[in-house]
């Protein structure tokens, strides 16, 4: 009996697992409310809290410069294992085009979570009914066809540059209007201040379904279930690009602290609640955690640099 009681006592005093030991997190969305990073941050917050993985979880916004303002703040929070930042391909490009003094080699990679293909939309009253219509006008007068998208050098900007190349338009002459959040780009579209908009499908979905925006094409290799749009390749534009989003922590946290954060993301990814969100938002599951994500980030920085150089955004 004494042995049983002693074992029970030892078990009760045993340290919690890495994921269970977390108590309270702050997630920085380094952009304005309404955009993809903000949506992803709040989805993570909901699942972590509702599944009892981490409580409480606070989300806050630090907009500007393609996320590099938030990146600098994350770097300055060295050693803070209660802070995470949502980021992605947008930031990989913005680090280079903004000549940021802090790059992604300075952070602690935790996990790549989702991917989302990019779409091009126009206002419902637009004369452009297909990508061929839009590119014909674009070729005739590149500067007159304005595209709204995310911050300069981000995924949206890369896509417009790649589309320009594919359509025979000089990328240096294209009229790209950057916004720090999806809400601002949407307002410009609905106000007919720009000819077209570029973003992940989720950012425009409600307005597309409401009939306020017309969906012209998607940057996927094939048509996507639940999204009624032809690919760019189908319309004669050999362009394919996926936006991805992930989570990083400040530099200087310990190996055990990193393990706890990775374990929390592993539990989030394995939950039915997260799978339901992926399906609801039409987000593609691209989960990659820990050191594998670290390797991916290095490769992606090189890939983005080549794209930006090819389309004339950096030297």
């Amino acid at each position: 009996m004494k042995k049983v009681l002693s074992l029970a006592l030892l078990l009760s005093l045993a340290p919690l697992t890495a994921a269970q030991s977390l108590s309270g997190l702050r997630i920085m969305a380094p952009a304005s409310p309404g955009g993809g990073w903000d949506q992803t941050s709040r989805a993570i917050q909901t699942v972590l809290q509702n599944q009892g993985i981490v409580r409480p979880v606070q989300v806050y916004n630090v907009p500007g410069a393609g996320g590099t303002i938030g990146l600098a703040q994350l770097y300055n929070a060295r050693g803070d294992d209660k802070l995470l930042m949502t980021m992605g391909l947008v930031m990989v490009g913005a680090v280079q085009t903004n000549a940021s003094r802090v790059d992604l080699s300075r952070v602690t990679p935790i996990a790549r979570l989702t991917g989302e293909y990019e779409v091009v939309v126009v206002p419902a009253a637009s004369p452009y009914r297909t990508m061929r219509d839009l590119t014909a006008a674009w070729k005739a007068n590149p500067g007159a066809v304005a595209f709204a998208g995310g911050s300069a050098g981000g995924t949206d900007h890369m896509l417009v540059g790649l589309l320009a190349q594919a359509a025979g338009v000089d990328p240096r002459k294209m009229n790209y209007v950057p916004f720090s959040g999806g809400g601002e780009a949407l307002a410009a579209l609905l106000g007919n201040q720009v000819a077209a908009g570029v973003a992940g499908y989720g950012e425009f979905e409600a307005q597309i379904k409401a009939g306020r925006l017309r969906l012209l094409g998607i940057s996927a290799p094939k048509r996507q279930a639940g999204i009624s749009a032809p690919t760019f390749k189908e319309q004669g534009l050999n362009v394919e690009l996926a936006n991805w989003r992930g989570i990083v922590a400040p530099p200087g946290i310990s190996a055990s602290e990193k393990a706890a954060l990775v374990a929390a993301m592993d539990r989030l990814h394995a939950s039915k609640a997260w799978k339901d969100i992926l399906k609801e938002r039409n987000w593609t599951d691209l989960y990659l955690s820990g050191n594998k994500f670290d390797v991916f980030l290095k490769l992606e920085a090189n890939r983005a640099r080549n794209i930006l150089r090819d389309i004339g955004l950096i030297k």
Side-chain angles (χ1 to χ4, degrees), residues 106-178:
R106 308 287 187 92
V107 304
T108 303
I110 302 299
R112 184 184 68 185
L113 294 169
T114 67
E116 189 176 16
Y117 292 111
E118 298 271 294
V119 296
V120 170
V121 298
V122 294
S126 170
Y128 311 126
R129 306 200 66 83
T130 67
M131 282 300 298
R132 288 187 175 90
D133 295 339
L134 181 62
T135 55
W138 202 10
K139 289 174 71 173
N141 190 349
V145 179
F147 286 79
S151 299
T155 310
D156 302 343
H157 203 168
M158 290 185 204
L159 179 66
V160 177
L162 291 172
L163 287 171
Q165 279 190 320
V169 174
D170 184 349
R172 293 170 180 80
K173 294 181 179 179
M174 67 188 190
N175 184 357
Y176 182 82
V177 185

Side-chain angles (χ1 to χ4, degrees), residues 1 25 40 56 61 74 78 93 95 126 140 145 167 208 264 266 297 311-312:
M1 184 68 175
L25 280 177
T40 303
N61 299 83
L74 187 83
R78 183 179 182 85
V95 162
S126 170
V145 179
I208 291 168
D266 286 344
L297 265 184
I311 62 179

Side-chain angles (χ1 to χ4, degrees), residues 12 23 47 94 160 162 171 190 214 237 245 304:
S12 69
S23 175
V47 175
V160 177
L162 291 172
L190 296 177
R214 180 182 303 129
L237 299 167
R245 299 184 183 115

Side-chain angles (χ1 to χ4, degrees), residues 20 37 43 80 98 118 143 180 190:
Q20 291 171 328
W37 288 340
D80 186 349
N98 286 285
E118 298 271 294
S180 62
L190 296 177

